[in-house]
Amino acid sequence: MKKIINQPNAVVSELLAGMAKAYPELKHIENLEVISRKEKSKKVGIVSGGGSGHEPAHAGYVGKGMLDAAVAGNVFSSPSPDRIIKGIEEANSGEGVLLIIKNYSGDIMNFSMAKEMAEMDDIRVESVIVKDDVAVPDSTYSTGRRGIAGTVFVHKIAGAKAESGACLEEVKAAAEKAIANIRSMGMAMSACILPAVGKPGFELCENEIEIGMGIHGEPGVERTSIKTAAETADILLSKILADYDYSGSEVALLINGLGATPLMELYIVNNEAEKILSSKGIKIYKTFVGNYMTALEMSGCSITLMKLDKELKELLDAPCNTPALKI
Amino acid sequence: MKKIINQPNAVVSELLAGMAKAYPELKHIENLEVISRKEKSKKVGIVSGGGSGHEPAHAGYVGKGMLDAAVAGNVFSSPSPDRIIKGIEEANSGEGVLLIIKNYSGDIMNFSMAKEMAEMDDIRVESVIVKDDVAVPDSTYSTGRRGIAGTVFVHKIAGAKAESGACLEEVKAAAEKAIANIRSMGMAMSACILPAVGKPGFELCENEIEIGMGIHGEPGVERTSIKTAAETADILLSKILADYDYSGSEVALLINGLGATPLMELYIVNNEAEKILSSKGIKIYKTFVGNYMTALEMSGCSITLMKLDKELKELLDAPCNTPALKI
C-alpha cells in the first residue's frame, strides 16, 4: 500500500490536525474529529460531515459563507452521534442548526440520533438529505440514491443563505431547493485503498472503467471499456438530462475529480460537457472544475448540474472563504 | 492507458479550451496555446509557462495579482518561441514584461529566443530563472538545479509586485529575492504516463519510492522503501534545511501534491512538517497544501520553503484571484 501516512488508524486525526495547522481560522477538536470556525457569528449554523477519504469534503468547506462545522468519521464510515453533537454545538449560536446529510444509511442514522439528542438540549435542528447521484436507485450503503459531489453545491447555497441572516426555515428551504435541482453522475477508472485494509476493494482491468460507481467503490450500472472524454461527458450528461429537465435553463456545472485524475483530464471533460450542454440550449452560468469530493486515490470523475433561478444564482455568487472554495 | 482524453496529441489545446470555458475572465489563444487575462491594466506584465502536464501550472495562475499570460508547450515539452512571443505580447502594456522560467534547458533556450525577438520589437523584457529543487545539482533536462513547485511562490511575489505599480527592475528584483529564499525537495511513489507515449517512462516496485525525483520523472537521489509521513517530511526538510539557513526565520510552507496523491496524505505530511519546523524554531507564516505543480498522475509530494522578510510577507499576502490560487 503506497500511502504517505503514519498509522492507518490515525489518518483522520492527523489529516485534520494538518489541516487546522494550514488554516489558522479553523479549529480541530481532537478525538471528536470536528473542524469548526474559530470566529462565530449570530446566524443559523450549518453542519455537514460523513466518512473521511473524500477530502477536501467536508472540512475543506468550513468557513465564511459555507459550513460552520464538519464532522469526520473514520475512512468511509459515518461519524458517531457524539461527534455530530459536538459539531452541532460548535455551529449553534442560538439561531438553530441545519444538518446537510448525504444519503447513506449510516449517516442518516447517526445524524438523526444526534439531532434528537441536540433537541433534548434545546437546540433547534433541521436536516436535509442530499441524494444527487442518478446512477442507481438503491446502493450498497443507501436506500434510495446516493449523495455525492452535488453536496458541495448544497453547502454553498445553504451557507450563503445562512450568512444572509435568514432564519432556520428559510435556510432549510434554500437547501431543499438546491437539492431538488441538482443531479450528478460519475465513472471510475481505478479502485482506492482504505488505509486500514491495505488493498483495493475491487479490481478494474487495464482497459476497463465502471459507469456510475459510488464514491466508496459501490457498484455502478455498467463495466465497459475505456471511453474518450467526449464519450464520457456524453454518457454522464445523458443520464443526468434524462432524469431531470434542464432544457432552456441556466445551470451551475461541476466537473469533479475523484482524487487521482489529473486536472488536465477534468478540463478536457469540461470542454466536452460545455459543447453538449450548449448544443442542447442549456446555459452554463458558472463552472467548477477540480477535486471537490474525492474517494481517496480513486481515478475517475463525476459531473453535476444544478438548475438555477434568481435566488440560487445570488446564493451561488455570494462570497465564501473556505480552504477548498473561495468566491 | 487509462486517461479521460480524446486524441493524445490534442490534450493541450483541449485542456486549455476547457479551462477558458470554466473561467470567462481568461482567454485561450488557440494553436499558440496561450492563456491570458482578458482585462488588461497598465503595469509590468508577468509571463510564465513551460511544458504541459503540470496543471494547474501554469495557466491556473493567470489572473489578478499573479500572471498575465501563461504559455503551454506540449506535455513535458518546452513551448516554442512563437508561442512565448505571443504570451509576451499579450502581457505587454508598455511597461515591460518579466519572464519567469523554470530551469530546464529547453525552456531557457526558447524563452531566451523569444525574449530577443520581442526586444527587437521594442518590448522591454527581463527574465528570472527558478531553480528551487535541491535534490540534484544537474539533471536530465537541466544544467544546474531544476525548477519545481517553488515557482508558484515566484509567480505570487512577482505578480503582487507588478500589481503594486512597481517598475520592471523592481519586479525583477522582488522575483530574484523570492528565488534566493526558496528551496524545494520532492519524492515520488509512482510514475506518470505521457498521453502520446501510452506507457510509464519507468517503474517503481510495489514497496519502492524515489527521493528527489523530478516533475518529469527525472532521476532523483535514492530509490528506497516506502516511508511513513513523519519520515518523508523529515527526509525532504532535512535536505532543504541543510542547503539554506532558515533558522530563526519566518517561512511560507508549500506541501505540493504531484497529481494522484490524495489531499488526506498531503495534510498528514503538513502535520509532520509543522512539527519539524516548530522544533527547529522556524515559524510558519502561511501554509499552502494542495496540487500546485503536478506531474500528470504521478503520486508523491514535494515540500517548499520560502524565507520571508517584511516585503515578501506583504507581497505574499496581497490579494490575487486566479483559478488555482485566491488570496
Side-chain angles (χ1 to χ4, degrees):
Chain A
M1 175 177 58
K2 277 191 174 172
K3 289 185 187 284
I4 320 174
I5 60 174
N6 296 306
Q7 293 302 318
N9 59 10
V11 292
V12 175
S13 59
E14 292 185 4
L15 96 86
L16 296 179
M19 195 172 178
K21 286 175 181 176
Y23 304 101
E25 65 275 21
L26 301 183
K27 178 168 74 171
H28 173 216
I29 299 159
E30 289 176 39
N31 302 316
L32 290 170
E33 310 312 354
V34 170
I35 290 278
S36 72
R37 293 164 68 174
K38 279 185 189 163
E39 200 179 294
K40 312 276 180 193
S41 59
K42 190 88 179 159
K43 66 167 202 63
V44 171
I46 312 283
V47 174
S48 191
S52 292
H54 305 300
E55 293 70 30
H58 298 84
Y61 302 109
V62 175
K64 193 170 167 60
M66 291 186 81
L67 307 180
D68 297 284
V71 188
N74 291 334
V75 178
F76 291 0
S77 299
S78 181
S80 54
D82 58 323
R83 292 186 180 189
I84 301 168
I85 289 169
K86 184 65 184 174
I88 292 171
E89 289 169 354
E90 283 291 316
N92 181 40
S93 67
E95 303 296 312
V97 173
L98 180 72
L99 306 180
I100 300 173
I101 311 169
K102 299 199 304 307
N103 188 37
Y104 297 100
S105 306
D107 285 346
I108 301 284
M109 187 175 73
N110 291 350
F111 275 86
S112 298
M113 282 175 63
K115 177 174 185 287
E116 281 177 33
M117 291 162 81
E119 284 167 342
M120 287 193 283
D121 284 339
D122 289 329
I123 301 177
R124 290 178 60 219
V125 185
E126 291 286 349
S127 63
V128 295
I129 296 169
V130 187
K131 33 179 108 176
D132 54 320
D133 187 350
V134 302
V136 288
D138 293 289
S139 185
T140 319
Y141 310 116
S142 72
T143 303
R145 290 176 170 183
R146 302 173 297 218
I148 58 171
T151 309
V152 177
F153 281 153
V154 185
H155 294 167
K156 178 69 186 80
I157 296 300
K161 191 73 182 180
E163 211 73 57
S164 78
C167 71
L168 182 57
E169 288 68 30
E170 292 167 332
V171 174
K172 181 179 178 178
E176 295 281 23
K177 188 201 270 189
I179 289 169
N181 285 287
I182 294 172
R183 297 291 184 281
S184 300
M185 176 80 187
M187 56 78 74
M189 299 202 293
S190 69
C192 57
I193 297 174
L194 274 75
V197 176
K199 58 181 202 293
F202 61 93
E203 296 280 355
L204 284 165
C205 300
E206 174 53 32
N207 195 34
E208 194 179 39
I209 63 170
E210 183 159 331
I211 306 293
M213 178 170 284
I215 54 173
H216 313 94
E218 310 96 307
V221 287
E222 185 191 10
R223 288 208 176 181
T224 180
S225 60
I226 183 92
K227 305 292 179 203
T228 66
E231 290 164 343
T232 303
D234 184 55
I235 291 168
L236 301 185
L237 280 173
S238 294
K239 184 100 177 164
I240 289 172
L241 298 177
D243 191 79
Y244 190 67
D245 185 9
Y246 287 94
S247 58
S249 61
E250 288 185 89
V251 298
L253 167 65
L254 166 59
I255 311 292
N256 177 59
L258 291 182
T261 288
L263 197 48
M264 168 189 277
E265 296 173 34
L266 302 180
Y267 280 127
I268 293 174
V269 172
N270 184 52
N271 192 38
E272 299 300 334
E274 187 275 340
K275 286 183 208 167
I276 294 168
L277 294 172
S278 295
S279 75
K280 294 182 186 297
I282 297 168
K283 191 178 167 216
I284 301 166
Y285 180 74
K286 211 179 186 89
T287 303
F288 301 81
V289 181
N291 291 345
Y292 286 87
M293 172 85 70
T294 64
L296 296 165
E297 68 280 79
M298 196 181 281
S299 67
C301 69
S302 64
I303 299 183
T304 298
L305 293 185
M306 174 167 66
K307 187 193 279 197
L308 301 169
D309 64 3
K310 184 167 173 294
E311 182 193 23
L312 290 178
K313 275 195 234 177
E314 285 171 5
L315 293 171
L316 190 66
D317 287 340
C320 68
N321 189 358
T322 73
L325 186 63
K326 293 186 207 303
I327 289 179
Chain B
M1 175 178 57
K2 278 191 174 173
K3 289 183 187 285
I4 319 175
I5 61 173
N6 295 307
Q7 293 302 319
N9 58 11
V11 293
V12 175
S13 58
E14 293 185 4
L15 97 87
L16 296 179
M19 195 172 179
K21 286 175 181 177
Y23 304 100
E25 65 275 21
L26 301 184
K27 179 167 74 170
H28 173 215
I29 299 159
E30 290 176 38
N31 302 318
L32 290 170
E33 310 312 356
V34 171
I35 290 278
S36 72
R37 292 165 67 173
K38 280 185 188 162
E39 200 179 293
K40 312 276 181 194
S41 60
K42 191 88 178 158
K43 65 167 202 61
V44 171
I46 312 284
V47 174
S48 191
S52 293
H54 305 299
E55 292 69 30
H58 298 84
Y61 302 109
V62 175
K64 193 170 167 58
M66 292 186 80
L67 306 180
D68 296 284
V71 188
N74 291 334
V75 179
F76 292 180
S77 299
S78 182
S80 53
D82 58 323
R83 293 186 181 188
I84 301 167
I85 290 169
K86 184 64 184 174
I88 293 171
E89 289 169 353
E90 284 290 317
N92 180 40
S93 66
E95 302 296 313
V97 172
L98 180 72
L99 306 179
I100 299 172
I101 312 168
K102 297 198 305 308
N103 188 37
Y104 297 100
S105 306
D107 285 346
I108 302 283
M109 188 175 73
N110 290 350
F111 275 86
S112 299
M113 283 175 62
K115 177 175 186 288
E116 281 177 32
M117 292 161 79
E119 284 166 343
M120 287 192 284
D121 285 339
D122 289 328
I123 301 177
R124 289 178 60 219
V125 185
E126 291 287 348
S127 63
V128 295
I129 296 168
V130 186
K131 32 178 110 175
D132 55 319
D133 188 350
V134 301
V136 289
D138 293 289
S139 185
T140 319
Y141 311 116
S142 72
T143 303
R145 290 177 169 182
R146 302 173 298 217
I148 57 169
T151 309
V152 177
F153 282 153
V154 185
H155 294 165
K156 178 67 186 79
I157 296 301
K161 191 74 182 180
E163 211 73 56
S164 79
C167 71
L168 182 56
E169 288 68 29
E170 292 166 331
V171 174
K172 181 179 178 179
E176 295 281 22
K177 189 201 270 188
I179 289 168
N181 285 286
I182 294 171
R183 297 292 185 279
S184 301
M185 177 81 187
M187 56 80 73
M189 299 202 294
S190 70
C192 56
I193 298 173
L194 274 74
V197 176
K199 57 180 201 298
F202 61 94
E203 297 281 355
L204 284 165
C205 300
E206 173 54 32
N207 196 34
E208 195 179 41
I209 64 170
E210 184 158 329
I211 306 292
M213 177 170 285
I215 55 173
H216 313 94
E218 309 95 306
V221 287
E222 185 193 9
R223 288 206 176 182
T224 180
S225 60
I226 182 92
K227 304 291 179 203
T228 65
E231 289 164 343
T232 301
D234 184 56
I235 290 167
L236 301 184
L237 280 173
S238 293
K239 184 100 176 163
I240 290 171
L241 298 177
D243 191 79
Y244 190 67
D245 185 9
Y246 287 94
S247 57
S249 61
E250 288 186 87
V251 299
L253 167 66
L254 166 59
I255 310 292
N256 177 59
L258 291 181
T261 288
L263 197 49
M264 168 189 277
E265 296 173 35
L266 301 180
Y267 280 127
I268 294 173
V269 172
N270 183 52
N271 192 38
E272 299 299 334
E274 187 275 342
K275 287 183 207 168
I276 294 168
L277 293 172
S278 295
S279 76
K280 294 182 186 297
I282 298 168
K283 192 179 165 212
I284 301 166
Y285 180 74
K286 211 178 187 90
T287 303
F288 302 80
V289 181
N291 291 345
Y292 285 86
M293 173 83 71
T294 64
L296 296 164
E297 68 280 80
M298 196 181 282
S299 66
C301 69
S302 64
I303 299 182
T304 298
L305 293 186
M306 174 167 64
K307 187 193 280 198
L308 301 169
D309 65 2
K310 185 166 173 291
E311 182 193 22
L312 290 178
K313 275 196 234 177
E314 284 170 6
L315 294 170
L316 189 67
D317 287 340
C320 68
N321 189 358
T322 73
L325 186 63
K326 293 186 207 302
I327 290 178

